[in-house]
Amino acid sequence: MIRHRPFGSGHPYSVDTEQRWPVDPVAGAPLTLGARATADVVDVEAELVVTQSDGMTTEQRMLLTRVARTSRGQAIDGGHLASAQARLARSAGGWAVTFDAPSAGGALRYRLSGRTGDGTTQRTRWFEARVLAWTPARDDVVTVAGRGRVVPGSVSVLTDGERARRVRFALPLADGEHVTGFGERFDALDHRGAQLDSVVFEQYKSQGAERKTYLPMPFAHVVGGAGWGFHVRTSRRVWFDVGATDPGLLVVEVETDAATGEPAVTVAFYDGTPTAVLDAFLDEVGRPEELPDWVFRLWASGNEWNTQAEVMRQMDLHRDHDVPVGSVVIEAWSDERTFTAFRDARYAVSEDGAPHRLADFEFPSDGAWPDPKGMVDELHARDIRVHLWQIPLLKARPHPTGQAKADTLAAAREGVLIREPDARGELHPYRNRGWWFPLSTMPDLTDERAARWWTEKRRYLVEEVGIDGFKTDGGEHAWGRELVYLDGTRGDEANNRFPVAYAKAYGDLLRSAGKAPVTFSRAGFTGSQAHGAFWAGDENSTWDAFRWSMFAGLSAAASGILYWGWDLAGFSGPLPSAELYLRATAASTFVPIMQYHSEFNHHRTPSRDRTPWNLAEQTGDERVLPVFREFAKLRERLVPYLTAEAAESIRTSAPLMRPVYFDHPSLETAWTHPLQWLLGRDLFVSPVVVEGEQEHETALPPGDWVDAWTGVAVAGPAIVRAAVPIDRIPVYVRAAAWPELRAIFAAGA
């Protein structure tokens, strides 16, 4: 067997063995043709037919050489491979040949042949590709909204002579200007000198080191000079060279599909302060809406809370330990085949895929969830809201049976799935290419009819069980530019939009049932601002991840994400130290969403739950529980303030968790001390993010301030150094607001 897939898996950061790279050949640049072949293949040859732009045709043959196998981000078979493909990969080898692509405007036709040890020859079908070249273009290929800043003469297009596939242009950067935003970014506040891109991607942990993100946006602030910002109006992938190659230029490269010489991309420019820039951007892409005040209370979850008894035990422990909690997120509630039915529930299969109602289910008394509605009613009586975990996929492994099978067949029959072309160009349901839930099919939630078909299956959970919201996890599974959505849009344009539509679909369900549209997502893109709350995704319990998450919160806020949080102290790997846990708890008390969560650990002991009582037991540190309790109670007292300030943020567009440069764009300490922020108009927060720190340095911005813990007045701007015992985080209150807010802090003094 020999296989070649010109587009590969669509992994945005990895080249698969069997693909063409680059997918669009560039004249004169190296072009690689790759193949995967079974172990009986002893040599592989490429047959090429090259047609030049003048019509001349040449033929040639090239031998491929053996190379290491790669697929979907893995150098060997494993985590990113579907099980069926992994079995094949174990007996398959990689082959490749690299040569210079022919001249621009021509075409390349090729197939690959593999010869086995017994002399048998196997061949792929013929493949074709047009050859592109970068050529200068008129400046008006880039359409400008607002006061344009495109450097004259900097525009070029990657074209085959008929269609432009990319456009490149430059923006000026002046000395002293800082470039920030770009959605949720984990590595830095100021991206000047860096290279980054905007593609939704599931980077499982180490986001800060990898510079990859679940929630990118082609939007940025340029701060420190006259003040401006820009938004590349596209859902396609965009690359940014932020002064890395030329310190005076911000070079933008955008995927596009336009007739050569015609406008290929639009860039909106905004002038003014960071708040004015963000306000103009939100006018364009959508604004957050006010969510109920309970979203500002503590959220609690653990992936091993997978029975009703365990959920209630953990909520009882919150009560017994006097730790106030406002929301519980139940991840492991469903059969994890349908994501609509509680595990162990008995019910008749709806063969046509129609939604169930609560009365259709029987919940065994000895099952995992003997009385879901009774549980939710009891939690509501305790003033605790309940959220259920979701994944936007129809699982294919293990092979679906029962309702999962009926839903899979109904989804195909009803025509609600994202599709992909086969080798003959015929469309079939897209199969998830990522490492998580491999080969699953995927509803097209960008389509209103398909979204209703999907969410109606969950309506009974909201209207009858009483669920308050959904954790809309896993919105990053659409890979590949060749995917086809129900409106005919291809994946290169629609994949980034999928997680926005995903959160919207669930928000619409909640709203239609008379509830607030509270979704909790990790993936998103431009437009996500209007749809629920977000958390920073999966991370280990390390100090690096702590710092990365704080950068993520500030950059997300600068891009218009209002309701943001993170898994305090991380959710994965060994438990955090008591010091890391409590420093992270202190910081999380002063971000918009305060929540803890822990990864599934197969119920091994000792427990890796991130509850304060488990941390106290496992670390043996007697400070953990009382310090966590006091911060949780402080958070309760902050709720009215956060609710009012969120409303003010929506009114003015000034972020709730606000980087210092928003209020003081020329203040140098906004960049030398980047992990500090204003929380609303009247609180300034400077968390301890370094292990072992005994004395902390705060770069206080201009104004009259009061130390929240001592009541001592401090005038800014100033560098303030103070001792930071484990139960304290440097917080300063604006002096004018101190009489009103002092009670919030005095209660814990």
Side-chain angles (χ1 to χ4, degrees):
M1 186 281 297
I2 183 169
R3 184 176 72 173
H4 172 72
R5 293 191 302 160
F7 297 134
S9 66
H11 190 299
Y13 299 107
S14 177
V15 178
D16 296 340
T17 303
E18 66 266 35
Q19 77 172 92
R20 181 173 70 229
W21 187 256
V23 170
D24 296 311
V26 179
L31 174 65
T32 297
L33 301 179
R36 186 184 295 271
T38 48
D40 59 338
V41 173
V42 296
D43 59 54
V44 178
E45 183 182 59
E47 302 174 65
L48 290 88
V49 179
V50 178
T51 302
Q52 304 291 349
S53 57
D54 60 5
M56 290 188 59
T57 298
T58 58
E59 298 182 13
Q60 64 182 116
R61 294 174 179 264
M62 296 181 177
L63 286 175
L64 280 67
T65 58
R66 291 186 183 272
V67 295
R69 297 194 309 272
T70 60
S71 186
R72 306 183 190 192
Q74 294 279 3
I76 57 174
D77 60 312
H80 283 65
L81 289 174
S83 58
Q85 293 167 318
R87 287 194 296 272
L88 175 64
R90 280 190 285 272
S91 62
W95 299 80
V97 62
T98 300
F99 55 95
D100 288 341
S103 59
L108 182 68
R109 189 168 183 263
Y110 64 93
R111 69 178 178 180
L112 304 176
S113 303
R115 184 176 60 83
T116 63
D118 63 6
T120 303
T121 298
Q122 304 169 4
R123 292 184 175 88
T124 68
R125 67 181 177 89
W126 286 95
F127 301 93
E128 296 183 355
R130 299 273 293 178
V131 181
L132 291 74
W134 283 103
T135 62
R138 300 192 315 270
D139 290 349
D140 61 6
V141 165
V142 179
T143 302
V144 170
R147 187 163 69 89
R149 287 182 166 81
V150 175
V151 174
S154 69
V155 180
S156 59
V157 294
L158 183 62
T159 178
D160 62 3
E162 296 179 4
R163 305 290 297 178
R165 301 301 181 186
R166 294 194 189 184
V167 59
R168 183 187 293 157
F169 58 93
L171 309 177
L173 288 178
D175 290 344
E177 287 183 328
H178 306 269
V179 186
T180 184
F182 296 108
E184 184 183 58
R185 299 289 169 169
F186 294 78
D187 57 309
L189 194 64
D190 182 5
H191 295 284
R192 188 153 185 177
Q195 294 176 315
L196 61 158
D197 69 342
S198 60
V199 62
V200 174
F201 184 72
E202 182 191 0
Q203 175 61 44
Y204 177 64
K205 304 191 287 193
S206 298
Q207 295 95 347
E210 297 292 335
R211 280 188 175 168
K212 299 165 186 171
T213 180
Y214 305 95
L215 209 170
M217 296 182 202
F219 161 77
H221 298 268
V222 182
V223 183
W228 58 285
F230 66 92
H231 171 217
V232 184
R233 289 179 176 168
T234 183
S235 55
R236 290 185 168 96
R237 192 173 185 178
V238 185
W239 293 262
F240 301 95
D241 181 316
V242 192
T245 302
D246 184 330
L249 294 178
L250 195 166
V251 179
V252 182
E253 186 173 316
V254 189
E255 284 187 342
T256 187
D257 184 13
T260 299
E262 296 298 315
V265 67
T266 298
V267 185
F269 291 96
Y270 319 109
D271 291 291
T273 65
T275 299
V277 166
L278 183 56
D279 183 61
F281 177 55
L282 293 177
D283 267 347
E284 181 182 330
V285 303
R287 297 177 173 277
E289 64 179 278
E290 288 188 50
L291 297 180
D293 59 1
W294 53 257
V295 303
F296 293 117
R297 302 179 65 213
L298 175 67
W299 295 52
S301 67
N303 215 325
E304 297 192 342
W305 302 358
N306 61 352
T307 65
Q308 182 172 331
E310 182 62 15
V311 169
M312 295 310 298
R313 187 179 80 88
Q314 294 293 347
M315 295 302 100
D316 288 346
L317 285 168
H318 279 86
R319 181 183 59 194
D320 296 345
H321 289 296
D322 193 23
V323 174
V325 60
S327 284
V328 58
V329 180
I330 308 176
E331 290 215 353
W333 67 279
S334 81
D335 55 15
E336 293 210 5
R337 291 193 176 193
T338 65
F339 301 105
T340 62
F342 281 86
R343 190 172 74 258
D344 293 343
R346 298 169 184 159
Y347 59 98
V349 172
S350 176
E351 296 291 352
D352 63 355
H356 286 96
R357 303 299 292 176
L358 182 58
D360 298 329
F361 295 95
E362 177 190 347
F363 301 101
S365 59
D366 60 348
W369 306 94
D371 185 8
K373 178 171 171 49
M375 175 188 69
V376 173
D377 288 346
E378 170 63 20
L379 292 171
H380 284 171
R382 300 189 193 189
D383 201 20
I384 300 172
R385 270 66 180 186
V386 184
H387 311 262
L388 298 182
W389 186 66
Q390 290 286 285
I391 293 292
L393 296 170
L394 289 159
K395 287 181 66 175
R397 292 290 182 271
H399 193 73
T401 59
Q403 192 60 54
K405 178 180 179 181
D407 287 348
T408 299
L409 293 173
R413 188 171 59 248
E414 296 291 330
V416 297
L417 298 173
I418 298 170
R419 296 162 296 165
E420 60 181 332
D422 64 12
R424 297 180 299 277
E426 296 177 1
L427 294 178
H428 299 276
Y430 165 67
R431 296 285 182 173
N432 174 32
R433 301 168 182 172
W435 67 274
W436 203 26
F437 302 117
L439 300 181
S440 298
T441 53
M442 196 167 176
D444 182 359
L445 299 182
T446 69
D447 178 83
E448 288 190 11
R449 180 182 66 87
R452 284 195 304 271
W453 183 90
W454 183 260
T455 57
E456 283 301 308
K457 296 176 176 296
R458 286 117 178 113
R459 182 171 293 279
Y460 87 95
L461 295 168
V462 180
E463 293 187 340
E464 298 183 88
V465 179
I467 297 305
D468 301 285
F470 291 97
K471 186 171 185 177
T472 37
D473 198 359
E476 322 87 0
H477 295 301
W479 287 12
R481 76 180 195 182
E482 73 276 22
L483 303 192
V484 179
Y485 287 72
L486 293 177
D487 66 355
T489 305
R490 293 192 321 177
D492 55 352
E493 189 173 5
N495 291 346
N496 277 341
R497 295 201 301 244
F498 181 88
V500 183
Y502 175 23
K504 178 184 182 299
Y506 280 77
D508 288 346
L509 168 65
L510 290 158
R511 190 182 287 107
S512 73
K515 296 201 171 189
V518 179
T519 54
F520 200 33
S521 309
R522 68 178 181 186
F525 193 70
T526 310
S528 286
Q529 294 87 343
H531 302 295
F534 296 83
W535 91 101
D538 298 338
E539 257 304 350
N540 282 320
S541 293
T542 67
W543 288 91
D544 278 341
F546 180 11
R547 290 183 286 270
W548 292 336
S549 298
M550 297 302 95
F551 280 125
L554 290 167
S555 60
S559 303
I561 298 295
L562 193 157
Y563 301 98
W564 176 92
W566 65 303
D567 297 332
L568 71 83
F571 98 126
S572 184
L575 289 174
S577 66
E579 180 188 5
L580 172 56
Y581 186 74
L582 292 177
R583 293 301 192 194
T585 296
S588 292
T589 303
F590 295 94
V591 304
I593 301 291
M594 181 184 187
Q595 67 108 20
Y596 70 78
H597 178 49
S598 54
E599 191 173 36
F600 187 66
N601 192 42
H602 303 279
H603 297 284
R604 293 174 293 203
T605 56
S607 169
R608 287 187 174 179
D609 271 5
R610 265 58 173 176
T611 57
W613 38 91
N614 190 53
L615 260 291
E617 179 182 350
Q618 302 302 330
T619 64
D621 194 318
E622 62 184 16
R623 302 172 299 172
V624 170
L625 192 49
V627 172
F628 188 97
R629 178 189 300 118
E630 289 310 310
F631 277 120
K633 289 186 173 183
L634 171 57
R635 178 67 177 205
E636 288 282 295
R637 297 191 296 272
L638 274 170
V639 167
Y641 173 80
L642 292 170
T643 303
E645 291 303 307
E648 179 69 7
S649 178
I650 292 168
R651 186 184 71 83
T652 65
S653 298
L656 175 59
M657 181 183 179
R658 189 156 67 255
V660 175
Y661 64 78
F662 264 80
D663 289 19
H664 306 284
S666 62
L667 190 66
E668 187 58 28
T669 54
W671 309 101
T672 60
H673 296 66
L675 296 183
Q676 303 183 142
W677 61 85
L678 291 112
L679 187 66
R681 289 167 289 180
D682 298 320
L683 297 181
F684 182 74
V685 184
S686 182
V688 176
V689 296
V690 176
E691 185 176 13
E693 189 169 78
Q694 301 293 315
E695 184 180 71
H696 182 76
E697 181 176 287
T698 298
L700 202 62
D704 294 323
W705 301 92
V706 175
D707 185 313
W709 308 109
T710 67
V712 173
V714 186
I719 299 296
V720 180
R721 295 178 178 84
V724 280
I726 199 66
D727 62 345
R728 289 291 180 263
I729 174 176
V731 177
Y732 294 85
V733 181
R734 203 174 297 279
W738 177 242
E740 179 183 355
L741 299 181
R742 68 189 303 168
I744 292 174
F745 299 92

